[in-house]
Amino acid sequence: MKLLSKRKLLRVLQYLPIAIILVFNATEKKGFLLYNNKLVEGANLLGPKISYFRVIDGWDWVIGTGFHTNRVLTFIKEKEKMLVAQGDEDLLKLLGLTLPFSLILMFLTVIVGRRVYRHFVTLEGQVIDDFERLKLSRNEMQYMAKYDQLTDLPNRMQLTENIEKLIALSKLQNKKAAVVFVDLDDFKHINDQYGHAAGDQLLRQIGQRFEGILSNYDCVSRFGGDEFIFCFSMLDNQEGAKCKVRQIQTLFMSPFLLGGVAVVTKCSIGVSIYPDHGANSEELISKADIVLYKSKEQRKGDVMFYNADINQQVQYNTLLENQLNRAVKRNEINVVYQPQINTETQEIESVEALCRWYNPELGIVSPLEFIPVAERIGVIHDIGDYVFHLACRDTLALMPNGKNAIGVSINISPKQLARIDFEQRVMSIVQRSGIDVERVTLEITENIFIDDLATVSPVLQRLRAQGFGISLDDFCTGYSSLNYLNNLPISEIKIDRSFVDKLLNNKQSDTLVKAIIAIGSSCHMKVVAEGVETLEQHEKLKEYSCDLLQGYYFDKPLNIDDLIARYAEKKEEISH
Ligand code: C2E
Ligand code: MG
Ligand code: MG
């Protein structure tokens, strides 16, 4: 069979009443023949037909077959219907499966949602509660930051603010303001006697009474412990402040009821005035505090106003404190020695080491002035160690160790004694210097508090056992001399200068000196008389058998070079 090209076939089909479409594959010799059914009678009902033919090589045969498109369409439609039906069925199945699942899911979502909601509501409540609590505690903290919990009065933080406001008000009106520092006398005593609860009660009652005298231009606050500070503003003059102070004092006239017990207490007061003594709260409080301290020092229950003299004194004290802090480092502390003469032999038996301080700004400062300051500011330990070291070194320079070698008495402050490492400190100084411990006497005063005796006594016992002498200085000037003699390992007593002074013209002093010497001799303690200034005193003390004499009659305190020269001179004197 002749092959037709597709284009040719289409051209033929344009003109032929019968349409024959031949799609022929030349290599495989097979194709589809489509013809118009108009020419094929009877085939009309079946619709167009698609035929397939194949040329069988060698046989010259063409084998063909075909199918009606309508049948295919019908088949497809049926299949379509079937698929739709099956689809519906599947959809139904799917719905059947997913619907309950969705419902369960919805149900669960609702339950969980509700629970979450309820949880959320509870949490929200808790958060609101927490916020409320936070707000409350913030308010409480703000209150606590500004008010004293015990008395409900403003505390020191709020006080500064209040004073500044009142100062500003007074300044605006060209008036004065008074800062009044009040400190209760013997509050510790009330606490000890009636208990701390009673002490608190007293502070509360005082706070209430204080509030009662305030005008719109005044304030009061608890500064701490038993200290209160008032500020009275809009005052015309200092007289106005005095009037307010009298009001405060009147409040203490009626007793306070503490747990049914009527207790009377007093207070000391220090006052500073704006603008005379300071321009701000800090300055005024500090100056009122200074005069309060002074008034307490002078007489409890007193009132003191700040003034120029006090100002000068305060400035001097501040300078003294500052300079004293650096005195040891700058080598400003020195030691002089006053001989103690054996009454019988007239020989120097020992010396008392007395410290001296020369400062370029302050000049020579007496130990009576700077030792208490050194005790207060704590430099007494450094000064004490330094004096101890110099005294040991110089005494060795005066005479090496040996039988009857000159001894040295060193004054020890009660503050030094109370220090836990005192024993170790003095032992180490003595060992480093190389002086025989038996040559060193520790002079202690009667100013040690009775409470401290229990701690001090074993320390002194141990030091005494090591060989140190223990001397009780200024004997009979304190209030429990005999108690000290009884409880401390005393090896020597020193009759105070005040008794020696009156020895010849005061019967009582004479009797006392005799009694002290008798006590010393019966207790096997050496007795030293201080402040011997005259031959008569010397002779009287010799008559009473006082062991050692110390005073200007023999020698004033000497520096080490003068002492060495004096000693050589004395030896010469005696040998002739
Ligand atoms: P104190 O221990 O009773 O010393 C005796 C004081 O009397 C010394 O005064 C001495 O110079 C003075 N004095 C001695 N003989 C006479 C005299 O015949 N007439 C007069 N009017 N006075 C005489 P100073 O040196 O001024 O010492 C005063 C006090 O300072 C000492 O009294 C002592 O308590 C203390 N002190 C001195 N040096 C030290 C020290 O290094 N440490 C400690 N903690 N206190 C010391
Ligand atoms: Mg002394
Ligand atoms: Mg003395």
Side-chain angles (χ1 to χ4, degrees):
M1 188 173 165
K2 225 171 165 186
L3 292 174
L4 288 168
S5 74
K6 262 192 213 170
R7 210 179 287 152
K8 271 184 188 163
L9 182 65
L10 284 170
R11 217 180 290 149
V12 172
L13 280 173
Q14 256 185 326
Y15 304 105
L16 281 179
I18 47 159
I20 300 163
I21 296 165
L22 182 67
V23 182
F24 187 74
N25 183 326
T27 46
E28 288 187 19
K29 293 178 182 161
K30 56 185 181 183
F32 289 99
L33 179 71
L34 179 73
Y35 66 91
N36 196 332
N37 61 358
K38 276 182 190 168
L39 293 177
V40 184
E41 283 294 320
N44 235 2
L45 288 169
L46 297 170
K49 187 177 184 181
I50 292 170
S51 294
Y52 174 76
F53 70 92
R54 183 172 182 167
V55 178
I56 312 273
D57 288 337
W59 288 71
D60 279 346
W61 280 17
V62 174
I63 297 173
T65 187
F67 61 85
H68 294 280
T69 53
N70 279 0
R71 278 192 182 162
V72 173
L73 288 174
T74 320
F75 178 76
I76 288 170
K77 271 182 188 159
E78 273 170 16
K79 276 286 169 195
E80 206 177 82
K81 266 188 200 163
M82 220 173 75
L83 278 173
V84 169
Q86 202 180 338
D88 286 351
E89 206 177 303
D90 285 351
L91 194 73
L92 269 174
K93 271 188 199 162
L94 197 74
L95 274 174
L97 272 173
T98 52
L99 202 65
F101 182 71
S102 306
L103 283 173
I104 291 169
L105 210 69
M106 247 167 72
F107 182 67
L108 283 176
T109 311
V110 169
I111 289 178
V112 170
R114 280 182 148 213
R115 290 201 73 166
V116 168
Y117 175 73
R118 251 179 293 157
H119 218 74
F120 179 76
V121 170
T122 335
L123 269 176
E124 195 186 21
Q126 276 174 2
V127 169
I128 291 170
D129 276 2
D130 284 351
F131 267 109
E132 281 301 316
R133 262 204 301 273
L134 217 72
K135 225 159 85 180
L136 267 174
S137 53
R138 195 191 56 197
N139 290 347
E140 234 169 73
M141 272 162 73
Q142 273 174 350
Y143 184 84
M144 272 162 64
K146 290 188 168 185
Y147 290 87
D148 170 50
Q149 274 181 300
L150 184 69
T151 58
D152 276 338
L153 293 179
N155 61 17
R156 61 200 300 175
M157 194 183 133
Q158 179 76 2
L159 166 80
T160 330
E161 226 174 273
N162 291 347
I163 294 182
E164 291 298 344
K165 279 184 200 156
L166 293 173
I167 286 176
L169 188 72
S170 301
K171 189 178 181 179
L172 213 67
Q173 305 284 323
N174 217 8
K175 301 260 181 185
K176 289 183 188 287
V179 169
V180 180
F181 209 131
V182 180
D183 184 286
L184 303 186
D185 295 333
D186 302 321
F187 180 65
K188 185 185 174 315
H189 174 74
I190 289 173
N191 264 337
D192 291 347
Q193 194 174 350
Y194 302 102
H196 284 264
D200 286 353
Q201 221 180 329
L202 176 68
L203 292 174
R204 267 195 296 270
Q205 288 182 28
I206 288 175
Q208 282 159 10
R209 287 192 192 182
F210 280 176
E211 274 187 309
I213 60 163
L214 298 182
S215 77
N216 288 342
Y217 304 118
D218 308 330
C219 72
V220 66
S221 72
R222 183 171 172 223
F223 196 63
D226 59 347
E227 295 172 337
F228 296 83
I229 291 185
F230 284 90
C231 180
F232 300 106
S233 71
M234 303 295 280
L235 303 172
D236 293 322
N237 46 37
Q238 196 150 319
E239 209 35 59
K242 282 185 183 159
C243 193
K244 295 285 185 184
V245 167
R246 275 195 292 276
Q247 263 183 293
I248 297 173
Q249 286 178 312
T250 318
L251 297 178
F252 286 85
M253 281 178 178
S254 44
F256 295 88
L257 265 183
L258 307 180
V261 184
V263 176
V264 179
T265 187
K266 281 194 301 177
C267 66
S268 300
I269 295 174
V271 189
S272 63
I273 307 280
Y274 166 86
D276 312 0
H277 308 138
N280 56 48
S281 61
E282 198 185 327
E283 226 177 311
L284 290 164
I285 291 173
S286 137
K287 289 187 172 165
D289 188 19
I290 287 165
V291 275
L292 168 71
Y293 180 74
K294 287 267 158 214
S295 89
K296 265 204 175 298
E297 232 177 24
Q298 278 179 12
R299 193 159 53 103
K300 282 183 179 174
D302 230 6
V303 181
M304 198 177 263
F305 279 68
Y306 194 80
N307 62 48
D309 283 352
I310 289 176
N311 194 17
Q312 222 173 357
Q313 216 177 316
V314 168
Q315 276 174 2
Y316 175 77
N317 284 347
T318 316
L319 180 67
L320 194 106
E321 281 180 18
N322 290 340
Q323 296 295 320
L324 194 56
N325 267 318
R326 284 168 277 183
V328 172
K329 272 205 188 112
R330 289 177 178 172
N331 283 325
E332 290 174 8
I333 302 283
N334 218 328
V335 183
V336 289
Y337 302 91
Q338 189 172 33
Q340 295 178 332
I341 310 294
N342 184 303
T343 321
E344 286 302 315
T345 61
Q346 301 280 303
E347 280 186 50
I348 301 177
E349 192 164 310
S350 54
V351 290
E352 177 176 6
L354 296 158
C355 67
R356 295 289 176 262
W357 177 30
Y358 173 76
N359 177 266
E361 273 187 63
L362 298 162
I364 294 170
V365 189
S366 159
L368 290 171
E369 193 179 343
F370 74 81
I371 293 288
V373 180
E375 287 177 337
R376 198 175 63 240
I377 63 175
V379 283
I380 187 66
H381 306 287
D382 288 345
I383 293 177
D385 284 358
Y386 187 62
V387 169
F388 211 104
H389 153 76
L390 289 183
C392 293
R393 187 197 68 184
D394 290 348
T395 311
L396 263 179
L398 176 68
M399 190 188 264
N401 291 333
K403 205 167 172 267
N404 297 326
I406 290 176
V408 62
S409 292
I410 304 166
N411 291 286
I412 304 294
S413 145
K415 288 272 187 279
Q416 285 175 270
L417 262 185
R419 230 179 114 129
I420 198 146
D421 59 352
F422 173 72
E423 189 181 344
Q424 182 209 321
R425 284 168 95 116
V426 292
M427 275 314 294
S428 110
I429 298 172
V430 165
Q431 276 162 8
R432 263 188 286 134
S433 74
I435 195 169
D436 269 352
V437 89
E438 284 78 13
R439 293 177 71 184
V440 183
T441 295
L442 310 176
E443 279 195 23
I444 59 164
T445 60
E446 292 185 335
N447 307 325
I448 315 165
F449 290 115
I450 297 292
D451 295 353
D452 295 341
L453 263 191
T455 34
V456 161
S457 177
V459 175
L460 289 178
Q461 300 281 2
R462 282 197 296 271
L463 287 168
R464 180 80 190 103
Q466 301 264 9
F468 284 98
I470 311 287
S471 175
L472 194 52
D473 204 358
D474 313 327
F475 189 64
C476 272
T477 56
Y479 47 88
S480 58
S481 311
L482 295 178
N483 190 23
Y484 281 77
L485 280 191
N486 214 19
N487 288 293
L488 300 176
I490 306 294
S491 57
E492 176 187 283
I493 41 184
K494 289 186 88 171
I495 305 172
D496 191 64
R497 201 173 72 215
S498 55
F499 302 119
V500 176
D501 232 14
K502 292 181 245 162
L503 177 66
L504 299 171
N505 38 32
N506 183 310
K507 187 84 192 110
Q508 213 175 337
S509 289
D510 182 82
T511 315
L512 207 73
V513 168
K514 263 198 283 187
I516 295 171
I517 294 169
I519 291 172
S521 126
S522 64
C523 296
H524 307 289
M525 294 168 187
K526 251 188 229 169
V527 181
V528 185
E530 262 185 339
V532 182
E533 290 184 350
T534 64
L535 176 65
E536 292 74 24
Q537 286 169 343
H538 169 202
E539 281 171 348
K540 194 78 172 171
L541 288 161
K542 195 174 173 184
E543 183 194 323
Y544 292 161
S545 304
C546 182
D547 301 299
L548 293 168
L549 308 172
Q550 176 183 346
Y552 292 173
Y553 174 70
F554 302 100
D555 289 293
K556 285 204 169 178
L558 306 162
N559 66 38
I560 183 60
D561 296 333
D562 291 345
L563 177 70
I564 291 172
R566 177 83 184 88
Y567 176 66
E569 205 180 280
K570 189 105 189 156
K571 255 173 63 179
E572 190 93 342
E573 235 173 69
I574 292 166
S575 64
H576 282 111

PDB file of all heavy atoms in Angstrom, residues 4-23:
ATOM      1  N   LEU A   4       0.775   7.630   2.266  1.00  0.00           N
ATOM      2  CA  LEU A   4       0.346   9.006   2.078  1.00  0.00           C
ATOM      3  C   LEU A   4       0.920   9.864   3.201  1.00  0.00           C
ATOM      4  O   LEU A   4       0.940   9.452   4.356  1.00  0.00           O
ATOM      5  CB  LEU A   4      -1.183   9.084   2.148  1.00  0.00           C
ATOM      6  CG  LEU A   4      -1.947   8.506   0.968  1.00  0.00           C
ATOM      7  CD1 LEU A   4      -3.395   8.407   1.336  1.00  0.00           C
ATOM      8  CD2 LEU A   4      -1.782   9.322  -0.290  1.00  0.00           C
ATOM      9  N   SER A   5       1.342  11.088   2.751  1.00  0.00           N
ATOM     10  CA  SER A   5       1.810  11.967   3.845  1.00  0.00           C
ATOM     11  C   SER A   5       0.619  12.563   4.564  1.00  0.00           C
ATOM     12  O   SER A   5      -0.476  12.621   3.974  1.00  0.00           O
ATOM     13  CB  SER A   5       2.697  13.081   3.284  1.00  0.00           C
ATOM     14  OG  SER A   5       1.899  13.999   2.632  1.00  0.00           O
ATOM     15  N   LYS A   6       0.824  12.985   5.753  1.00  0.00           N
ATOM     16  CA  LYS A   6      -0.275  13.531   6.570  1.00  0.00           C
ATOM     17  C   LYS A   6      -0.874  14.732   5.894  1.00  0.00           C
ATOM     18  O   LYS A   6      -2.086  14.895   5.817  1.00  0.00           O
ATOM     19  CB  LYS A   6       0.267  13.978   7.937  1.00  0.00           C
ATOM     20  CG  LYS A   6       0.067  13.000   9.012  1.00  0.00           C
ATOM     21  CD  LYS A   6       0.372  13.737  10.309  1.00  0.00           C
ATOM     22  CE  LYS A   6       0.981  12.830  11.330  1.00  0.00           C
ATOM     23  NZ  LYS A   6       1.475  13.559  12.457  1.00  0.00           N
ATOM     24  N   ARG A   7       0.013  15.606   5.295  1.00  0.00           N
ATOM     25  CA  ARG A   7      -0.459  16.845   4.666  1.00  0.00           C
ATOM     26  C   ARG A   7      -1.335  16.525   3.466  1.00  0.00           C
ATOM     27  O   ARG A   7      -2.379  17.080   3.243  1.00  0.00           O
ATOM     28  CB  ARG A   7       0.747  17.714   4.284  1.00  0.00           C
ATOM     29  CG  ARG A   7       0.403  19.170   4.335  1.00  0.00           C
ATOM     30  CD  ARG A   7       1.608  19.973   3.973  1.00  0.00           C
ATOM     31  NE  ARG A   7       2.565  19.958   5.020  1.00  0.00           N
ATOM     32  CZ  ARG A   7       3.882  20.095   4.800  1.00  0.00           C
ATOM     33  NH1 ARG A   7       4.332  20.180   3.557  1.00  0.00           N
ATOM     34  NH2 ARG A   7       4.691  20.112   5.793  1.00  0.00           N
ATOM     35  N   LYS A   8      -0.823  15.523   2.649  1.00  0.00           N
ATOM     36  CA  LYS A   8      -1.557  15.116   1.441  1.00  0.00           C
ATOM     37  C   LYS A   8      -2.918  14.580   1.819  1.00  0.00           C
ATOM     38  O   LYS A   8      -3.932  14.911   1.212  1.00  0.00           O
ATOM     39  CB  LYS A   8      -0.759  14.065   0.679  1.00  0.00           C
ATOM     40  CG  LYS A   8       0.184  14.688  -0.322  1.00  0.00           C
ATOM     41  CD  LYS A   8       0.861  13.558  -1.089  1.00  0.00           C
ATOM     42  CE  LYS A   8       1.993  14.140  -1.986  1.00  0.00           C
ATOM     43  NZ  LYS A   8       2.891  13.072  -2.416  1.00  0.00           N
ATOM     44  N   LEU A   9      -2.906  13.758   2.855  1.00  0.00           N
ATOM     45  CA  LEU A   9      -4.166  13.136   3.293  1.00  0.00           C
ATOM     46  C   LEU A   9      -5.158  14.206   3.690  1.00  0.00           C
ATOM     47  O   LEU A   9      -6.316  14.158   3.272  1.00  0.00           O
ATOM     48  CB  LEU A   9      -3.890  12.219   4.496  1.00  0.00           C
ATOM     49  CG  LEU A   9      -5.073  11.452   5.042  1.00  0.00           C
ATOM     50  CD1 LEU A   9      -5.575  10.438   3.993  1.00  0.00           C
ATOM     51  CD2 LEU A   9      -4.714  10.726   6.317  1.00  0.00           C
ATOM     52  N   LEU A  10      -4.662  15.242   4.407  1.00  0.00           N
ATOM     53  CA  LEU A  10      -5.567  16.305   4.830  1.00  0.00           C
ATOM     54  C   LEU A  10      -6.095  17.060   3.623  1.00  0.00           C
ATOM     55  O   LEU A  10      -7.263  17.442   3.584  1.00  0.00           O
ATOM     56  CB  LEU A  10      -4.845  17.277   5.778  1.00  0.00           C
ATOM     57  CG  LEU A  10      -4.631  16.756   7.204  1.00  0.00           C
ATOM     58  CD1 LEU A  10      -3.711  17.679   7.960  1.00  0.00           C
ATOM     59  CD2 LEU A  10      -5.956  16.612   7.918  1.00  0.00           C
ATOM     60  N   ARG A  11      -5.221  17.219   2.567  1.00  0.00           N
ATOM     61  CA  ARG A  11      -5.674  17.921   1.360  1.00  0.00           C
ATOM     62  C   ARG A  11      -6.749  17.130   0.646  1.00  0.00           C
ATOM     63  O   ARG A  11      -7.762  17.645   0.221  1.00  0.00           O
ATOM     64  CB  ARG A  11      -4.476  18.163   0.428  1.00  0.00           C
ATOM     65  CG  ARG A  11      -4.579  19.497  -0.263  1.00  0.00           C
ATOM     66  CD  ARG A  11      -3.378  19.698  -1.163  1.00  0.00           C
ATOM     67  NE  ARG A  11      -2.176  19.900  -0.414  1.00  0.00           N
ATOM     68  CZ  ARG A  11      -0.970  19.513  -0.843  1.00  0.00           C
ATOM     69  NH1 ARG A  11      -0.847  18.890  -2.009  1.00  0.00           N
ATOM     70  NH2 ARG A  11       0.083  19.761  -0.138  1.00  0.00           N
ATOM     71  N   VAL A  12      -6.548  15.785   0.594  1.00  0.00           N
ATOM     72  CA  VAL A  12      -7.528  14.893  -0.046  1.00  0.00           C
ATOM     73  C   VAL A  12      -8.843  14.963   0.711  1.00  0.00           C
ATOM     74  O   VAL A  12      -9.903  15.099   0.113  1.00  0.00           O
ATOM     75  CB  VAL A  12      -6.979  13.444  -0.096  1.00  0.00           C
ATOM     76  CG1 VAL A  12      -8.029  12.473  -0.574  1.00  0.00           C
ATOM     77  CG2 VAL A  12      -5.754  13.394  -0.982  1.00  0.00           C
ATOM     78  N   LEU A  13      -8.718  14.915   2.056  1.00  0.00           N
ATOM     79  CA  LEU A  13      -9.929  14.901   2.879  1.00  0.00           C
ATOM     80  C   LEU A  13     -10.767  16.164   2.687  1.00  0.00           C
ATOM     81  O   LEU A  13     -11.977  16.159   2.833  1.00  0.00           O
ATOM     82  CB  LEU A  13      -9.553  14.786   4.382  1.00  0.00           C
ATOM     83  CG  LEU A  13      -9.216  13.377   4.871  1.00  0.00           C
ATOM     84  CD1 LEU A  13      -8.703  13.434   6.294  1.00  0.00           C
ATOM     85  CD2 LEU A  13     -10.409  12.459   4.773  1.00  0.00           C
ATOM     86  N   GLN A  14     -10.124  17.247   2.245  1.00  0.00           N
ATOM     87  CA  GLN A  14     -10.838  18.504   2.006  1.00  0.00           C
ATOM     88  C   GLN A  14     -11.849  18.337   0.884  1.00  0.00           C
ATOM     89  O   GLN A  14     -12.887  18.959   0.881  1.00  0.00           O
ATOM     90  CB  GLN A  14      -9.817  19.593   1.633  1.00  0.00           C
ATOM     91  CG  GLN A  14      -9.549  20.534   2.764  1.00  0.00           C
ATOM     92  CD  GLN A  14      -8.608  21.659   2.268  1.00  0.00           C
ATOM     93  OE1 GLN A  14      -7.734  21.440   1.414  1.00  0.00           O
ATOM     94  NE2 GLN A  14      -8.841  22.815   2.784  1.00  0.00           N
ATOM     95  N   TYR A  15     -11.471  17.540  -0.108  1.00  0.00           N
ATOM     96  CA  TYR A  15     -12.313  17.410  -1.318  1.00  0.00           C
ATOM     97  C   TYR A  15     -13.154  16.160  -1.335  1.00  0.00           C
ATOM     98  O   TYR A  15     -14.175  16.098  -1.998  1.00  0.00           O
ATOM     99  CB  TYR A  15     -11.436  17.437  -2.595  1.00  0.00           C
ATOM    100  CG  TYR A  15     -10.602  18.719  -2.616  1.00  0.00           C
ATOM    101  CD1 TYR A  15      -9.253  18.707  -2.324  1.00  0.00           C
ATOM    102  CD2 TYR A  15     -11.247  19.935  -2.935  1.00  0.00           C
ATOM    103  CE1 TYR A  15      -8.527  19.873  -2.347  1.00  0.00           C
ATOM    104  CE2 TYR A  15     -10.500  21.093  -2.939  1.00  0.00           C
ATOM    105  CZ  TYR A  15      -9.156  21.079  -2.656  1.00  0.00           C
ATOM    106  OH  TYR A  15      -8.416  22.203  -2.638  1.00  0.00           O
ATOM    107  N   LEU A  16     -12.743  15.156  -0.567  1.00  0.00           N
ATOM    108  CA  LEU A  16     -13.494  13.898  -0.618  1.00  0.00           C
ATOM    109  C   LEU A  16     -14.733  13.964   0.249  1.00  0.00           C
ATOM    110  O   LEU A  16     -14.706  14.558   1.327  1.00  0.00           O
ATOM    111  CB  LEU A  16     -12.591  12.764  -0.094  1.00  0.00           C
ATOM    112  CG  LEU A  16     -11.548  12.242  -1.092  1.00  0.00           C
ATOM    113  CD1 LEU A  16     -10.727  11.172  -0.474  1.00  0.00           C
ATOM    114  CD2 LEU A  16     -12.229  11.709  -2.347  1.00  0.00           C
ATOM    115  N   PRO A  17     -15.913  13.369  -0.320  1.00  0.00           N
ATOM    116  CA  PRO A  17     -17.126  13.315   0.520  1.00  0.00           C
ATOM    117  C   PRO A  17     -16.945  12.381   1.678  1.00  0.00           C
ATOM    118  O   PRO A  17     -17.555  12.533   2.709  1.00  0.00           O
ATOM    119  CB  PRO A  17     -18.199  12.821  -0.429  1.00  0.00           C
ATOM    120  CG  PRO A  17     -17.498  12.163  -1.539  1.00  0.00           C
ATOM    121  CD  PRO A  17     -16.133  12.715  -1.677  1.00  0.00           C
ATOM    122  N   ILE A  18     -16.092  11.411   1.455  1.00  0.00           N
ATOM    123  CA  ILE A  18     -15.794  10.542   2.614  1.00  0.00           C
ATOM    124  C   ILE A  18     -14.482  10.999   3.246  1.00  0.00           C
ATOM    125  O   ILE A  18     -13.512  11.315   2.557  1.00  0.00           O
ATOM    126  CB  ILE A  18     -15.695   9.043   2.194  1.00  0.00           C
ATOM    127  CG1 ILE A  18     -14.814   8.929   0.954  1.00  0.00           C
ATOM    128  CG2 ILE A  18     -17.035   8.393   1.984  1.00  0.00           C
ATOM    129  CD1 ILE A  18     -14.240   7.554   0.755  1.00  0.00           C
ATOM    130  N   ALA A  19     -14.594  11.088   4.462  1.00  0.00           N
ATOM    131  CA  ALA A  19     -13.362  11.546   5.168  1.00  0.00           C
ATOM    132  C   ALA A  19     -12.654  10.364   5.771  1.00  0.00           C
ATOM    133  O   ALA A  19     -13.220   9.631   6.564  1.00  0.00           O
ATOM    134  CB  ALA A  19     -13.745  12.523   6.262  1.00  0.00           C
ATOM    135  N   ILE A  20     -11.461  10.219   5.286  1.00  0.00           N
ATOM    136  CA  ILE A  20     -10.663   9.117   5.825  1.00  0.00           C
ATOM    137  C   ILE A  20      -9.394   9.723   6.428  1.00  0.00           C
ATOM    138  O   ILE A  20      -8.664  10.442   5.765  1.00  0.00           O
ATOM    139  CB  ILE A  20     -10.297   8.101   4.725  1.00  0.00           C
ATOM    140  CG1 ILE A  20     -11.525   7.513   4.108  1.00  0.00           C
ATOM    141  CG2 ILE A  20      -9.393   6.987   5.269  1.00  0.00           C
ATOM    142  CD1 ILE A  20     -11.290   6.822   2.770  1.00  0.00           C
ATOM    143  N   ILE A  21      -9.211   9.490   7.641  1.00  0.00           N
ATOM    144  CA  ILE A  21      -7.979  10.002   8.286  1.00  0.00           C
ATOM    145  C   ILE A  21      -7.068   8.831   8.516  1.00  0.00           C
ATOM    146  O   ILE A  21      -7.460   7.839   9.128  1.00  0.00           O
ATOM    147  CB  ILE A  21      -8.328  10.690   9.594  1.00  0.00           C
ATOM    148  CG1 ILE A  21      -9.185  11.911   9.314  1.00  0.00           C
ATOM    149  CG2 ILE A  21      -7.056  11.130  10.357  1.00  0.00           C
ATOM    150  CD1 ILE A  21      -9.884  12.463  10.523  1.00  0.00           C
ATOM    151  N   LEU A  22      -5.958   9.042   7.950  1.00  0.00           N
ATOM    152  CA  LEU A  22      -4.997   7.961   8.088  1.00  0.00           C
ATOM    153  C   LEU A  22      -3.760   8.496   8.823  1.00  0.00           C
ATOM    154  O   LEU A  22      -3.143   9.476   8.426  1.00  0.00           O
ATOM    155  CB  LEU A  22      -4.595   7.464   6.694  1.00  0.00           C
ATOM    156  CG  LEU A  22      -3.630   6.303   6.658  1.00  0.00           C
ATOM    157  CD1 LEU A  22      -4.280   5.051   7.206  1.00  0.00           C
ATOM    158  CD2 LEU A  22      -3.167   6.058   5.219  1.00  0.00           C
ATOM    159  N   VAL A  23      -3.578   7.841   9.881  1.00  0.00           N
ATOM    160  CA  VAL A  23      -2.351   8.185  10.617  1.00  0.00           C
ATOM    161  C   VAL A  23      -1.460   6.977  10.499  1.00  0.00           C
ATOM    162  O   VAL A  23      -1.824   5.885  10.910  1.00  0.00           O
ATOM    163  CB  VAL A  23      -2.673   8.471  12.094  1.00  0.00           C
ATOM    164  CG1 VAL A  23      -1.419   8.871  12.856  1.00  0.00           C
ATOM    165  CG2 VAL A  23      -3.715   9.549  12.203  1.00  0.00           C
TER     166      VAL A  23
END
